[in-house]
């Protein structure tokens, strides 16, 4: 991958994203994935991962797609000039919006003051707990 106008630059940018994914993208109830877990799950060698992580690798698009799939993030994360956390949060928000009823709930909340929005958030959290889902993973503080 060559230089990208206005975005991250080559191997260093890809390395930065991989380091972010390794440190931050994992199930809440466990520590970050090990290199061995990522290598096995993405179907790449540990040496390839280490090379990418240090900025010495020249990964193929297929490798980057496999890594994105493993971490369940959009492949766009590798090339989007925005912060990886923002790219992932935006992708998750888009996924949530297309889920049944989410857009309808958001439209119904339009115009509510801060107290009303807080009530809606608490109600949703209570419904999630009642269904055994645990807290929502927003990745964003949507109150501001």
């Amino acid at each position: 991958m060559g230089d990208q106008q206005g975005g991250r630059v080559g191997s260093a940018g890809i390395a930065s994203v991989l380091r972010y994914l390794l440190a931050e993208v994992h199930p809440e109830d466990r520590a970050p994935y090990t290199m061995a877990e990522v290598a096995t799950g993405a179907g790449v060698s540990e040496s390839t991962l280490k090379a990418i992580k240090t900025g010495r690798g020249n990964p193929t698009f297929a490798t980057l797609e496999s890594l994105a799939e493993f971490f369940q993030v959009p492949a766009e994360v590798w090339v989007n000039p925005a912060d990886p956390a923002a790219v992932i949060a935006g992708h998750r928000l888009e996924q949530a919006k297309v889920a049944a009823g989410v857009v309808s709930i958001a439209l119904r909340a339009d115009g509510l003051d801060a107290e009303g929005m807080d009530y809606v958030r608490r109600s949703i959290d209570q419904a999630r707990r009642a269904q055994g889902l645990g807290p929502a993973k927003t990745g964003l503080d949507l109150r501001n």
Side-chain angles (χ1 to χ4, degrees):
M1 301 194 68
D3 292 352
Q4 300 158 25
Q5 187 176 18
R8 290 186 207 96
V9 179
S11 303
I14 291 171
S16 173
V17 172
L18 180 58
R19 286 191 301 271
Y20 171 82
L21 295 175
L22 287 166
E24 302 296 332
V25 180
H26 55 86
E28 270 184 34
D29 59 346
R30 61 156 290 159
Y33 294 111
T34 65
M35 293 289 273
E37 289 173 314
V38 175
T40 299
V44 299
S45 70
E46 280 189 66
S47 60
T48 295
L49 278 181
K50 289 176 186 173
I52 296 169
K53 182 180 174 187
T54 59
R56 292 180 316 216
N58 186 19
T60 65
F61 185 71
T63 296
L64 296 177
E65 280 185 314
S66 294
L67 288 168
E69 187 175 315
F70 173 82
F71 286 107
Q72 297 178 342
V73 299
E76 167 193 2
V77 75
W78 303 109
V79 296
N80 190 315
D83 180 61
V87 174
I88 294 165
H91 177 72
R92 289 184 179 156
L93 182 58
E94 287 301 315
Q95 288 178 317
K97 286 193 311 189
V98 298
V102 172
V103 172
S104 176
I105 291 168
L107 292 172
R108 285 183 171 92
D110 184 40
L112 293 177
D113 62 13
E115 184 178 330
M117 290 299 289
D118 195 46
Y119 177 80
V120 170
R121 273 190 294 279
R122 287 191 316 268
S123 297
I124 291 170
D125 289 344
Q126 183 177 5
R128 290 183 63 82
R129 282 191 301 276
Q131 292 185 13
L133 296 175
K137 298 177 186 175
T138 64
L140 301 170
D141 183 357
L142 298 175
R143 286 178 264 180
N144 296 327

